[in-house]
Amino acid sequence: MKKTSLWKDDTEASFYPPLQKDLNVDIAIVGGGITGTAAAHLLTLQGKNVALLEAWEIGGGTTGFSTGNLYATVEERLNKLQCKFDETTARAVVSSRSAAIGHIENTVREYAIDCDFHRRPWRLLSETETFDRFLQQEYKACLKTGLDAYLDDSAPLTFPIRKALRIENQAQFNPMRYVKALAAQAQKAGGRVFEHTPVLHIKEGSPNILYTENGTVTANKVIHATHSPKGVRFVHTLMGVYREYAIAVKLNSDEYPEGIFWVMGKPHQHSIRSYTRRTGENYLLVLGEPHKVGHKKDNEACFRNLETYIRARFDVKSIEYHWSAQNYRSADGLPYIGSVNDKAGIYIATGFATDGLTYGTLAAMIISDLILGKENPWSRLYDPRRHNPLKSAGRFVKENAHVFMDYLTDWPYRAEAKSVAGIAPGEGKTVVLKGEKFAVYRDEAGELHQVSAVCTHMKCIVNWNKEQKSWDCPCHGSRFTVDGQVIEGPAILDLPKKAANHPR
Ligand SMILES: Cc1cc2nc3c(=O)[nH]c(=O)nc-3n(C[C@H](O)[C@H](O)[C@H](O)COP(=O)(O)OP(=O)(O)OC[C@H]3O[C@@H](n4cnc5c(N)ncnc54)[C@H](O)[C@@H]3O)c2cc1C
Ligand code: FES
């Protein structure tokens, strides 16, 4: 079984050089996922001088670890959006997301991108009558937004279901191959693409200066396409951060279902789809088991639960891949896309939940229109400076209660181990030594990796992620390697390394 995503394993690696010298551009885009590559592509096509700076590799963030489904509806459900906002808002969400899927399809066609893009139906399924009323309501909500929706008694699956809400003409692709192709097109159109170039500091002003290890980028505008914007921003207090898990399996039969299947369940739903890689081999993917980042001790159990779930419904031959990634849920159910500082030209795109392949594309369309001075019909709807206190209240209170509790458990701090001697090989624990909080990992060879346990974003204490072998912050989702390097999230500075001044 491989510990990576199926997309990454079925896509050729990209080799862009790291930034080696100072650069002057119109627009610096930080982050090479679907948001950053789509924005780079759109802006370079319009003749803008663009630098795309990616900390690791193009598509190597959440985009390459997603499920590759494209749909006009949302995880939050349209009925909920209609109740929270109104029918006009839900219709605008559906039309903007449909336009983004149309944009992806046109781009795939224009450049003949080999990313297995197909139009497919999306289905929301119930296995028990508990969800009947819910499905009825969602069906009505879909019709009100103009979606081509149906309520069926069956679905093309080998396990029994009760009811299925079907929306025709949605889509699926390999997201990793798509974003690699977008970056290549952006470079072809004159853009500069850099991999292995983490941005270490952004000095906002006119112009902005972005600092990296081997050079600075001076830019009139900056797009934070980093899934969660870098630095301390108000939107971080509005979002909840969740981790989800996926496995890809082979079946004993050839009965791989076509389309997107979301199977409702308690406490959470599962998402199922199939994929045929270039070699012709088929796989079935299942995704689920969400939990708040940094809040699950034995997160390897999530894979075991997924395996049990899929084996109960399909004749599974072998488990081939497993991976996980995190997502950011906004307070009012809509993402935050647009300018946060008009004077300095700073743009953000975040709060996509698990709908961000489409929202990320939409964000690139909206932000490039804003930069080019073009009207965009949806820029106001997703404006990050919108004020929706009532619509945001429920989740704002819930997420901040979590953050507050995380602060409380940090003070006075209860460390997980009394000394590093109590940490077994392959294990990570927090330890307090001479009043200082350490995050300590002992590798399989017995070597200790010690860093500060205090998150460099807003000083929460990081928790051990057993499955990823990383230090994850429960407050706003920053993640760090065992040696303290930022992997993702709003933190921009690494966790400082700490010397071993104690018995090993
Ligand atoms: C398990 C899972 C399944 C999902 N499935 C779907 C799906 O089927 N359909 C859907 O629509 N959405 C899905 N989503 C959501 C979707 O994958 C994300 O919302 C989307 O990929 C976000 O794209 P992005 O470009 O904004 O961020 P990312 O893809 O995370 O890209 C951000 C990039 O920024 C880089 N970066 C970070 N910090 C720095 C720095 N300091 N300097 C330079 N670069 C930096 C990162 O390395 C990364 O490559 C899923 C999410 C999860 C967790
Ligand atoms: S991510 Fe905000 S405090 Fe750690």
Side-chain angles (χ1 to χ4, degrees), residues 279-496:
T279 54
E281 287 169 287
N282 288 314
Y283 295 87
L284 187 75
L285 276 69
V286 59
L287 169 124
E289 300 288 321
H291 64 79
K292 262 193 81 83
V293 164
H295 279 252
K296 195 167 179 101
K297 283 250 177 274
D298 180 16
N299 58 347
E300 284 172 329
C302 298
F303 293 124
R304 294 195 291 277
N305 296 345
L306 284 180
E307 183 175 345
T308 307
Y309 179 88
I310 206 70
R311 280 192 190 279
R313 288 163 181 79
F314 290 87
D315 185 9
V316 174
K317 184 177 170 193
S318 54
I319 315 287
E320 299 288 326
Y321 295 87
H322 66 108
W323 67 90
S324 66
Q326 69 187 38
N327 64 76
Y328 301 81
R329 294 180 191 196
S330 71
D332 61 6
L334 299 179
Y336 306 106
I337 299 169
S339 167
V340 284
N341 181 343
D342 294 336
K343 219 167 151 198
I346 308 290
Y347 299 84
I348 65 164
T350 190
F352 297 157
T354 53
D355 309 320
L357 297 175
T358 301
Y359 271 141
T361 306
L362 181 62
M365 292 158 70
I366 291 175
I367 292 173
S368 50
D369 278 353
L370 290 174
I371 288 176
L372 296 166
K374 288 191 194 162
E375 266 296 303
N376 183 290
W378 306 293
S379 56
R380 286 192 52 193
L381 176 64
Y382 300 116
D383 190 331
R385 292 174 291 192
R386 66 181 176 265
H387 193 50
N388 281 334
L390 286 178
K391 295 168 181 80
S392 305
R395 193 168 289 155
F396 179 79
V397 169
K398 183 179 153 212
E399 299 303 348
N400 281 288
H402 273 298
V403 172
F404 185 62
M405 286 309 290
D406 288 324
Y407 271 118
L408 275 189
T409 46
D410 294 345
W411 182 265
Y413 187 65
R414 274 179 291 125
E416 292 165 311
K418 286 207 172 86
S419 74
V420 295
I423 302 173
E427 213 175 48
K429 282 189 175 166
T430 50
V431 188
V432 177
L433 296 163
K434 294 188 185 155
E436 249 195 289
K437 292 155 190 160
F438 285 66
V440 183
Y441 168 65
R442 191 186 291 278
D443 65 26
E444 299 297 346
E447 271 307 301
L448 291 174
H449 300 249
Q450 304 184 154
V451 292
S452 163
V454 183
C455 176
T456 55
H457 180 231
M458 285 169 74
K459 301 203 180 317
C460 280
I461 299 298
V462 294
N463 286 338
W464 180 238
N465 179 336
K466 191 174 169 192
E467 184 263 318
Q468 287 285 310
K469 298 226 181 308
S470 62
W471 293 106
D472 296 4
C473 180
C475 289
H476 315 107
S478 291
R479 295 184 53 232
F480 305 86
T481 65
V482 291
D483 292 315
Q485 198 183 353
V486 177
I487 302 171
E488 65 179 308
I492 201 155
L493 295 177
D494 295 346
L495 296 175

Side-chain angles (χ1 to χ4, degrees), residues 30-36 53-57 60-63 65-69 71 197-199 225-227 230 244 287 325-327 352-358:
V30 189
I34 198 158
T35 308
L53 306 158
E54 165 54 46
W56 306 86
E57 67 162 314
T62 317
T63 298
F65 290 78
S66 65
T67 330
N69 291 326
Y71 40 86
T197 305
V199 171
T226 43
H227 207 194
K230 291 287 165 188
E244 285 207 40
L287 169 124
Q326 69 187 38
N327 64 76
F352 297 157
T354 53
D355 309 320
L357 297 175
T358 301

